[in-house]
Amino acid sequence: MPNSSQGSLPQKPDLSGIRFVEVTPETRADFENLFEQPGAPKYCWCMAWRHSSREHIENDEKKRMMMALIDAGTPVGIVAELDGRPVGWCSVAPRETYRSLSKQQDDSEIGIWSIVCFYVPRALRRGGLASALLDAAIDHAFSKGAHIIEAYPVDEIAPSYRFMGFREMFAARGFHETGTAGTRRHLMRLDR
């Protein structure tokens, strides 16, 4: 007889029908719908690492700023869709579209894309969606002309910045560590 606690464990999602969509003016509704769901990071709208003139901005202003970037054609990331519904997000874009991400950053380098954020709803976590998003983000960045992809993940035991992904997930895909970005974040790169 199965342990009664096993009945409460989330089912691993069937990701066979997943597709990844670049967020553009035509597809921004997917991104908006995902971030409007209960538990989504609508407090941020993925503006934490993006250029802004002020630090403390209201949530609705962050959303307006993100929608303006999307409407201007600025790359911001990809959305995962499963059964026609948005179920995950990865912020992947040219590094120059973000504010400084590490003290070692050399802004004279060109062709660098950064992966700075993942969002997977709690019910879908630990089912492989973040890894699938990372694979899709890598493919997306290189297909858009990236020469190097930079990421800033943390160790799984880190108490903060977990939304940036975990170091092992990146290392498993060939990212190599080139330094640190703050006290918890590893600076990692993938070249092709």
Side-chain angles (χ1 to χ4, degrees):
M1 185 167 207
N3 183 330
S4 62
S5 67
Q6 288 178 328
S8 63
L9 293 175
Q11 293 280 343
K12 185 173 179 176
D14 177 8
L15 299 179
S16 62
I18 199 161
R19 69 183 207 111
F20 301 93
V21 179
E22 178 182 10
V23 177
T24 66
E26 295 76 30
T27 64
R28 84 176 211 178
D30 292 335
F31 171 76
E32 199 168 1
N33 290 337
L34 179 67
F35 272 62
E36 291 287 353
Q37 292 175 9
K42 56 184 147 244
Y43 56 86
C44 174
W45 284 97
C46 213
M47 290 299 298
W49 294 108
R50 302 196 191 272
H51 295 289
S52 96
S53 58
R54 335 188 279 282
E55 284 297 313
H56 301 287
I57 303 170
E58 296 296 319
N59 297 353
D60 59 343
E61 179 66 7
K62 290 176 190 172
K63 178 181 178 181
R64 189 199 65 71
M65 292 169 71
M66 175 56 86
M67 294 305 141
L69 287 173
I70 294 167
D71 288 343
T74 303
V76 296
I78 58 173
V79 169
E81 289 184 347
L82 191 58
D83 300 324
R85 290 182 21 247
V87 295
W89 157 256
C90 180
S91 179
V92 53
R95 188 175 70 184
E96 65 266 13
T97 66
Y98 299 101
R99 61 185 172 94
S100 182
L101 294 161
S102 76
K103 289 183 174 149
Q104 301 101 299
Q105 186 166 314
D106 178 357
D107 289 333
S108 70
E109 293 178 304
I110 57 170
I112 298 178
W113 279 52
S114 294
I115 297 174
V116 301
C117 181
F118 294 89
Y119 169 64
V120 173
R122 188 174 305 277
L124 295 175
R125 291 181 189 159
R126 300 199 183 280
L129 184 53
S131 292
L133 272 162
L134 177 54
D135 291 337
I138 292 167
D139 291 344
H140 176 72
F142 284 131
S143 76
K144 293 292 186 175
H147 300 294
I148 297 170
I149 301 174
E150 207 168 73
Y152 319 89
V154 296
D155 294 315
E156 283 200 52
I157 60 168
S160 59
Y161 295 105
R162 296 169 67 89
F163 61 89
M164 298 184 91
F166 297 123
R167 189 181 106 33
E168 282 305 313
M169 187 169 76
F170 288 88
R173 284 154 180 84
F175 280 78
H176 58 279
E177 194 156 341
T178 61
T180 59
T183 58
R184 292 188 178 102
R185 294 176 292 130
H186 299 268
L187 180 57
M188 299 184 79
R189 285 185 159 197
L190 180 66
D191 311 75
R192 279 216 180 133

